[in-house]
Amino acid sequence: MEKVKATISWCEKNYCATSVGDIINGVVLSTNKTLEGVKRSFAEAFRFHIEGCIKDNDRLSDDIRTGNYEIEFMMDTSALLHSLDGVLTRSAIARATGINERQLGHYASGIRTPRPQQRERIINGIHAISRELVAVV
């Protein structure tokens, strides 16, 4: 089974999913107001793109050609933080990560992009919060 990697970003008021690479000929892009919606619309756009590639006789792997693929979505930091809106406060994430709440806001809005170490701190902080929630009996 072929793995198709797609990146989900936050673009002002919508989620945006993109995939670029050697697996397909071209770029696939979709947007939606919700995280689940962008995943669905990206999958539809990807299938549509593959149909066009097949009609154009583009070179594709057998797995892609026959639909034997899985889309792996990776969220950038801004999309990750927006996906948690209404679930976790930025204040809670700031306490768990040690990253200033204002800085988290910059990451969420896309004004700044965190270094890989900062992104790792954010993910580890979110995981720490989730472990605390799971431990509640």
Side-chain angles (χ1 to χ4, degrees), residues 14-122:
N14 289 310
Y15 290 98
C16 174
T18 56
S19 180
V20 179
D22 298 335
I23 292 175
I24 58 170
N25 182 19
V27 176
V28 177
L29 175 99
S30 70
T31 64
N32 198 286
K33 292 200 177 294
T34 68
L35 184 57
E36 288 308 312
V38 78
K39 288 178 179 181
R40 270 193 316 277
S41 67
F42 180 84
E44 292 169 12
F46 190 81
R47 280 191 299 275
F48 181 75
H49 180 78
I50 296 307
E51 289 172 9
C53 288
I54 291 169
K55 286 179 185 174
D56 293 343
N57 290 320
D58 290 342
R59 192 172 351 145
L60 298 169
S61 72
D62 289 337
D63 282 344
I64 296 292
R65 191 175 287 281
T66 60
N68 188 26
Y69 59 84
E70 179 182 11
I71 302 172
E72 288 184 346
F73 292 100
M74 196 284 292
M75 287 192 286
D76 72 7
T77 305
S78 61
L80 174 63
L81 290 170
H82 275 281
S83 73
L84 295 171
D85 285 348
V87 177
L88 286 177
T89 64
R90 300 248 167 86
S91 176
I93 297 170
R95 281 192 304 275
T97 62
I99 298 172
N100 180 303
E101 192 175 337
R102 185 177 178 141
Q103 187 66 32
L104 288 170
H106 289 304
Y107 294 154
S109 66
I111 292 171
R112 299 218 190 292
T113 302
R115 296 184 317 271
Q117 300 88 343
Q118 291 291 83
R119 178 176 164 76
E120 190 67 27
R121 282 176 63 189
I122 293 167

